[in-house]
Amino acid sequence: MTSEPDKSQDKNGKSNGRVAVICIAFVAGMVGMSYAAVPFYEMFCRVTGYGGTTQRVDQYSDRVLDQKVTIRFDANTSSGLPWKFEPVARDITIKIGETAQAHYTAQNISDKPTAGRATFNVTPELAGGYFNKVECFCFTDTTLQPGETLDMPVVFYVDPDIVNVPELKDVKTITLSYTFFPIEGAKPVANAPQAGNLKTNDNTDGNFGG
């Protein structure tokens, strides 16, 4: 007597196959969406200050409060970028709404031209939406010759509206942090001068980045 094929196993196999295909499609879709979301996420952060990202504005504050806040400055370099990057002053105390200027310096300590780009954030994160940069060097490609030192100013103010945020009413210190990353595929600049012939760049007004 010939036994009939087990139809339940066949159905289960087809069902499992459909589930596997759906899972693979879902994962692939999520990966694709994550890559597509990168530029939108960066734009969202710049506009809203989400994740400690500061605001970029074209005007200075027109209102100064009789209330002070200390701004601390942090500097970091990613591995692979042979730069000495640090703030000139570790912190300053300003009035809320007062426009201030701080300086960072970056020095290429290698024997080859190297290029980097800085990202930034503010802590506490919620304060990022009230930390307004008028001028800065973030998201600007910067190339330094061997031994070259560059002055990097940043002009900013803390929006007076920060005092109206309950979660920030007791915040007395805000930290502005920059991290420089190497630019992939950066090409050496032609006819690069020797390190001994280089001068420190002290033109603070002409070096504002985007």
Side-chain angles (χ1 to χ4, degrees):
M1 182 176 180
T2 304
S3 61
E4 294 184 1
D6 191 341
K7 294 183 180 180
S8 63
Q9 292 183 0
D10 184 52
K11 288 181 180 179
N12 290 335
K14 290 182 179 180
S15 178
N16 292 336
R18 292 194 195 97
V19 171
V21 170
I22 292 172
C23 288
I24 293 172
F26 176 78
V27 172
M30 291 299 293
V31 171
M33 288 175 65
S34 66
Y35 279 105
V38 170
F40 293 103
Y41 177 78
E42 181 176 330
M43 180 179 66
F44 174 75
C45 287
R46 293 195 191 194
V47 172
T48 65
Y50 183 81
T53 302
T54 69
Q55 303 297 294
R56 178 67 186 275
V57 297
D58 297 322
Q59 76 283 342
Y60 295 86
S61 174
D62 57 359
R63 184 162 53 102
V64 178
L65 304 182
D66 190 21
Q67 185 174 335
K68 294 183 178 181
V69 61
T70 297
I71 310 299
R72 291 179 179 170
F73 304 102
D74 180 49
N76 306 280
T77 53
S78 174
S79 60
L81 186 64
W83 287 11
K84 181 181 179 183
F85 175 56
E86 59 187 1
V88 174
R90 288 293 174 181
D91 60 73
I92 62 173
T93 299
I94 60 174
K95 291 184 176 181
I96 294 177
E98 175 186 0
T99 300
Q101 178 171 284
H103 293 262
Y104 286 77
T105 60
Q107 180 184 20
N108 179 3
I109 58 177
S110 74
D111 59 357
K112 298 178 181 179
T114 52
R117 181 184 303 139
T119 61
F120 61 90
N121 75 323
V122 166
T123 52
E125 291 186 356
L126 189 58
Y130 299 90
F131 195 100
N132 296 279
K133 293 187 290 78
V134 181
E135 296 290 351
C136 81
F137 51 86
C138 49
F139 300 112
T140 300
D141 294 354
T142 302
T143 299
L144 295 180
Q145 300 300 323
E148 182 180 6
T149 298
L150 184 65
D151 178 65
M152 297 180 163
V154 54
V155 179
F156 64 92
Y157 67 89
V158 178
D159 191 330
D161 286 341
I162 195 172
V163 300
N164 299 323
V165 182
E167 295 86 348
L168 297 173
K169 65 178 181 179
D170 295 324
V171 172
K172 303 300 181 182
T173 302
I174 297 175
T175 300
L176 174 63
S177 179
Y178 284 95
T179 300
F180 259 103
F181 294 88
I183 299 176
E184 297 294 335
K187 297 180 179 179
V189 178
N191 301 322
Q194 297 299 316
N197 297 327
L198 287 167
K199 296 181 180 179
T200 300
N201 190 335
D202 292 324
N203 180 15
T204 59
D205 292 332
N207 292 321
F208 287 144

